Amino acid sequence: MKLNKILLSVFMLVGAVSASAQEAEVKTVYDFNPHWYIQGQIGGQYTLGEIKFSDLLSPNAQLSLGYQFTPEFALRLGANGWQSRGGWDLSKTYKWKYNYVAPALDLVFNLSNAFAGYNPKRVLNVTAFIGGGANVAWNNDEAADASAAIAKTEFPYSGQNLSYLWDGTKVRAFGRAGLGLDFRVSDRVSIGLEASANVLNDHYNSKKAHNADWYFNALAGLKIALGKTYTERQIEPAKPAERIIERIVEKPVPAEPVVQEKKDEALRRDIFFLINSYKIRESEESKVKDIADYLNQHADAKVAVTGYADAGTGNNKINDRLAAQRAQSVVNMLRTKYNVPESRITSDSKGAYIQPFAENDKNRVSICIAE
């Protein structure tokens, strides 16, 4: 019988050690820092037209300055340009090229951060952008030469040829949209691939086609952040509930009963909040009063208030703020309504990194433990 009790105690001790080893590790959290960046890219352009695809390819480059003001959104001011091409396939193929530069402002949307959460260590980020600006084009002499040649040799096109032929420098509004892939090299450097579609009015390529003119850019280059893009901090795991291991030890019955001093039990109250709110509801105020009454009855007792947010809604930035505000709401009510001294209150917040309850909605809570 005595051996069985000893073995039972050993098994309980081993189970407690095993459970302790599985406790949650310290969690690393990344907080986004707004920052400027520069971006340089080079590639090629295809100007939409009716002649052979390869005859409408030309070089292209872009230089930009951007500001990433949230993990999801950035504004980018840049200048794209170099060369566009045009052509007309009649009895022979007529080709021409001209130069342009196109300053533009883009709104850039980081799809990876928006749908998968902010992670500065992610290897690949997918972005989308939309914007517009002014296309400044010049050096259209080859189109003028083609127009003259068509007028001389292409019946019945004579007198029609390039109806929108332009010379000098022309400025036209344009719009664009595109997608990008950014491959992380380091905290501040990434290699990017980008493709965009650009639309202008029908006059851009000198041909009258009764529809908009288009060109498509494909670019590759570097993006360099001008400053620290994030800060790193550690979140301690919630302390697990104490495990009481009962050791069964046979000992002689004492001659006289031992009188043990009774220890006051700790008081816990869970104060629940509505979604996206840190206001204490009337239905929950009685719990705050319970804490205050306990502190009044136990002169040496203190209360620890910890705020939480549910992981099912919002993002880390919103949830960090909400959890801290929920804890502070309880602290404020204890101090102002029930005159509990600040020295008897400690507060903390865990955001949504720790979920004390299995039910998601219950994690919109401040847990108060007075002892």
Side-chain angles (χ1 to χ4, degrees):
M1 186 68 176
K2 183 176 180 179
L3 178 60
N4 290 341
K5 292 181 178 179
I6 293 173
L7 290 175
L8 178 60
S9 297
V10 171
F11 289 145
M12 293 177 69
L13 180 60
V14 171
V17 171
S18 175
S20 177
Q22 297 176 20
E23 290 175 0
E25 298 180 354
V26 174
K27 183 179 180 66
T28 300
V29 177
Y30 302 107
D31 294 321
F32 169 79
N33 290 338
H35 58 275
W36 293 91
Y37 65 85
I38 57 173
Q39 190 173 26
Q41 300 160 291
I42 192 166
Q45 179 183 108
Y46 168 67
T47 312
L48 189 63
E50 297 80 14
I51 63 175
K52 191 166 61 173
F53 178 83
S54 59
D55 289 335
L56 294 172
L57 295 178
S58 53
N60 193 252
Q62 183 166 282
L63 183 64
S64 306
L65 174 67
Y67 184 68
Q68 190 78 39
F69 51 91
T70 72
E72 297 83 13
F73 291 102
L75 283 176
R76 181 178 68 173
L77 178 64
N80 172 270
W82 199 327
Q83 191 180 92
S84 290
R85 290 180 177 268
W88 204 350
D89 194 7
L90 301 173
S91 62
K92 59 178 287 188
T93 299
Y94 297 90
K95 299 181 290 185
W96 57 91
K97 60 181 181 292
Y98 43 100
N99 300 108
Y100 80 95
V101 63
L105 181 66
D106 296 321
L107 176 64
V108 185
F109 183 44
N110 189 310
L111 299 172
S112 298
N113 284 340
F115 294 104
Y118 175 62
N119 180 6
K121 303 293 185 180
R122 184 181 290 116
V123 174
L124 172 64
N125 280 284
V126 181
T127 59
F129 61 91
I130 186 169
N135 181 293
V136 184
W138 71 94
N139 195 19
N140 200 32
D141 296 341
E142 290 187 7
D145 294 340
S147 179
I150 293 170
K152 291 178 181 179
T153 60
E154 297 292 344
F155 183 83
Y157 294 102
S158 300
Q160 300 177 25
N161 55 67
L162 303 184
S163 301
Y164 287 155
L165 179 65
W166 53 270
D167 60 4
T169 300
K170 297 295 181 183
V171 179
R172 302 177 180 89
F174 78 98
R176 68 176 178 181
L179 293 172
L181 301 176
D182 288 326
F183 298 88
R184 179 181 181 274
V185 176
S186 69
D187 284 348
R188 297 194 182 186
V189 179
S190 61
I191 297 174
L193 301 176
E194 180 178 303
S196 66
N198 302 258
V199 60
L200 309 90
N201 66 30
D202 192 24
H203 292 244
Y204 185 60
N205 64 3
S206 299
K207 292 175 60 179
K208 186 175 182 179
H210 303 289
N211 53 42
D213 289 336
W214 292 81
Y215 59 81
F216 304 89
N217 294 333
L219 302 165
L222 287 178
K223 182 166 74 172
I224 302 173
L226 304 178
K228 197 171 183 180
T229 60
Y230 68 92
T231 53
E232 185 175 325
R233 58 189 172 94
Q234 306 294 324
I235 297 292
E236 297 287 340
K239 292 182 179 180
E242 294 183 1
R243 297 181 177 88
I244 301 175
I245 302 173
E246 182 180 356
R247 296 185 62 190
I248 304 173
V249 180
E250 289 187 348
K251 61 171 81 173
V253 177
E256 296 181 1
V258 177
V259 179
Q260 295 184 352
E261 182 182 353
K262 185 178 179 181
K263 186 178 180 180
D264 293 327
E265 294 183 358
L267 176 70
R268 169 171 168 165
R269 289 293 182 266
D270 300 336
I271 299 166
F272 296 100
F273 296 84
L274 295 176
I275 186 171
N276 199 31
S277 173
Y278 57 90
K279 181 180 179 181
I280 300 175
R281 293 174 288 168
E282 290 184 8
S283 59
E284 300 293 300
E285 287 188 12
S286 62
K287 298 178 183 179
V288 183
K289 185 177 184 302
D290 289 346
I291 296 293
D293 291 344
Y294 181 94
L295 294 175
N296 288 333
Q297 295 166 10
H298 301 82
D300 295 330
K302 295 185 178 181
V303 62
V305 181
T306 306
Y308 298 85
D310 69 286
T313 55
N315 54 44
N316 286 340
K317 185 176 181 180
I318 293 172
N319 289 333
D320 287 348
R321 184 184 72 247
L322 266 177
Q325 289 172 329
R326 285 166 178 166
Q328 191 59 44
S329 292
V330 177
V331 172
N332 291 344
M333 181 170 287
L334 286 170
R335 291 180 57 192
T336 59
K337 187 170 183 177
Y338 297 107
N339 300 317
V340 177
E342 186 176 357
S343 60
R344 301 183 67 187
I345 307 171
T346 60
S347 65
D348 192 10
S349 63
K350 301 296 184 182
Y353 307 110
I354 296 169
Q355 299 289 272
F357 295 98
E359 184 179 341
N360 180 70
D361 293 356
K362 286 190 174 182
N363 292 307
R364 304 161 190 154
V365 65
S366 283
I367 296 177
C368 307
I369 300 176
E371 56 184 346

